[in-house]
Amino acid sequence: MTAAENMTMLEGCSRTFLIGALLLLIVLVLLSLIRAVRGPSVADRIVAINMINTMVTVIIAIMAVILQEGYLMDICLIYAMIGFLAVVVLTKVYTDSRATGKDSKKKDAEKGSGEHA
């Protein structure tokens, strides 16, 4: 075999590997989507959304390599930043709502004990 034939065979193997990785990631995204819908808690849903974000970022990066398009890497970075901010905002909203719920329960308990005294 010549060097050119070896390089062509190597490119074909790497392309096959990358396509297999894409298929695996798509299956994992679907499984994470099921976890995000089913729950059972809000924290599980947030983690599932974060996993989906990470896997979609990797999918875009692999597509950039397969298609040999540099602009897809820019899209990949922008998507990663937006996804990170979305998870941070969701976490902040979730923790604030839990803290507000605990404060209102504590105030209700204090009111209840004050009425009985």
Side-chain angles (χ1 to χ4, degrees):
M1 283 187 162
T2 65
E5 290 174 346
N6 282 338
M7 190 58 106
T8 304
M9 190 172 79
L10 183 62
E11 288 174 356
C13 288
S14 66
R15 185 176 176 90
T16 303
F17 175 76
L18 291 174
I19 290 172
L22 278 176
L23 293 174
L24 177 66
L25 284 168
I26 290 169
V27 170
L28 292 174
V29 165
L30 292 174
L31 292 173
S32 296
L33 186 61
I34 291 169
R35 173 51 60 195
V37 171
R38 291 186 68 199
S41 69
V42 176
D44 292 327
R45 291 182 173 107
I46 291 173
V47 170
I49 290 171
N50 193 24
M51 286 175 45
I52 291 170
N53 175 51
T54 303
M55 288 185 282
V56 169
T57 303
V58 173
I59 287 171
I60 295 171
I62 290 173
M63 290 298 295
V65 171
I66 290 174
L67 299 174
Q68 297 177 350
E69 296 288 346
Y71 71 90
L72 286 175
M73 290 306 292
D74 296 334
I75 293 171
C76 180
L77 290 171
I78 292 168
Y79 184 84
M81 287 188 289
I82 291 171
F84 172 75
L85 289 173
V87 169
V88 168
V89 168
L90 285 172
T91 305
K92 177 71 174 155
V93 168
Y94 174 65
T95 55
D96 284 349
S97 68
R98 286 189 50 97
T100 304
K102 286 181 181 177
D103 290 342
S104 65
K105 286 181 184 177
K106 186 186 287 185
K107 287 179 183 176
D108 289 341
E110 289 173 359
K111 282 183 182 178
S113 64
E115 292 173 359
H116 294 293

